[in-house]
Amino acid sequence: MGRSHEARLKEELDAGPDPQVVAAVERLRTQTADQASVGILPFVNMSPEHDNDYFSDGMTEELTNALTHVPGLRVASRTSAFAFKGKQLDLREIGARLGVRSVVEGSVRKVGNRIRITAQLIDAGSGYHIWSQVFERTVHDVFTLQEEISQAIVRALPLTHSRAGGSLVRPPTSLVEAY
């Protein structure tokens, strides 16, 4: 019988960074600001009710969609970013795998009709924070909250082209209950 998956994973982690990942990170570091790019990782559900994953995933998807409308910004696809859901990998490696300069990660806490979202923008080359903020609203303000987070991320991104003007989030319905 072969080694366990856990033993192989431990060996890989103990061996240090993969040379291909190191090379990819170095390529990302040399990109210009004109090639701004971001990956939105699935927000972690930290709510007492674990069945609120749909809400966290929906928040991630809406932010991804909103940021695709920013001129000069490349956004990693939802499918690519969601491949990292529940994985505990170094953000520099995730950034390299997604081919992005920045990564957004965050968490969602929902209790009753209150929502608290923490969003963080991380430099994928260094792994250091560029920006972080906590947002708190009621469920009825979810669309306003998505817009506010999207705009804050855009302001924090190193974009040299025009910044997004106007609304980035286009609610699919005005009924929060339906959403």
Side-chain angles (χ1 to χ4, degrees):
M1 222 180 242
R3 296 173 306 174
S4 72
H5 174 70
E6 291 172 357
R8 287 192 307 269
L9 183 59
K10 183 174 180 349
E11 273 182 22
E12 287 179 25
L13 291 174
D14 289 343
D18 179 339
Q20 290 178 331
V21 171
V22 172
V25 168
E26 190 55 37
R27 282 193 306 275
L28 288 172
R29 283 190 181 135
T30 61
Q31 287 181 340
T32 65
D34 288 343
Q35 297 170 318
S37 55
V38 66
I40 316 295
L41 295 181
F43 278 35
V44 176
N45 174 24
M46 298 180 85
S47 303
E49 300 94 20
H50 295 290
D51 60 344
N52 278 332
D53 274 354
Y54 74 92
F55 188 83
S56 299
D57 291 350
M59 181 61 67
T60 305
E61 187 163 351
E62 289 299 323
L63 290 174
T64 301
N65 183 53
L67 293 177
T68 63
H69 299 288
V70 176
L73 180 62
R74 291 181 312 133
V75 181
S77 75
R78 176 198 175 279
T79 303
S80 297
F82 267 75
F84 296 101
K85 184 173 182 174
K87 305 253 187 324
Q88 296 298 318
L89 297 173
D90 187 303
L91 281 177
R92 293 171 294 185
E93 182 175 347
I94 292 172
R97 287 187 184 183
L98 290 175
V100 296
R101 294 190 62 202
S102 305
V103 175
V104 174
E105 65 176 354
S107 63
V108 176
R109 292 174 194 86
K110 183 173 175 284
V111 178
N113 75 338
R114 298 292 299 167
I115 307 166
R116 176 177 289 164
I117 296 176
T118 301
Q120 304 168 23
L121 181 65
I122 312 295
D123 179 285
S126 68
Y128 290 108
H129 280 82
I130 297 170
W131 165 87
S132 181
Q133 191 169 339
V134 176
F135 302 84
E136 191 167 334
R137 299 283 185 283
T138 66
V139 172
H140 299 290
D141 295 328
V142 68
F143 301 127
T144 303
L145 183 59
Q146 289 169 347
E147 178 68 28
E148 187 176 337
I149 294 170
S150 298
Q151 291 287 351
I153 291 168
V154 168
R155 284 191 302 275
L157 282 166
L159 296 172
T160 57
H161 292 305
S162 65
R163 301 233 183 235
S167 179
L168 294 174
V169 175
R170 289 164 183 82
T173 177
S174 60
L175 299 172
V176 175
E177 294 79 12
Y179 177 73

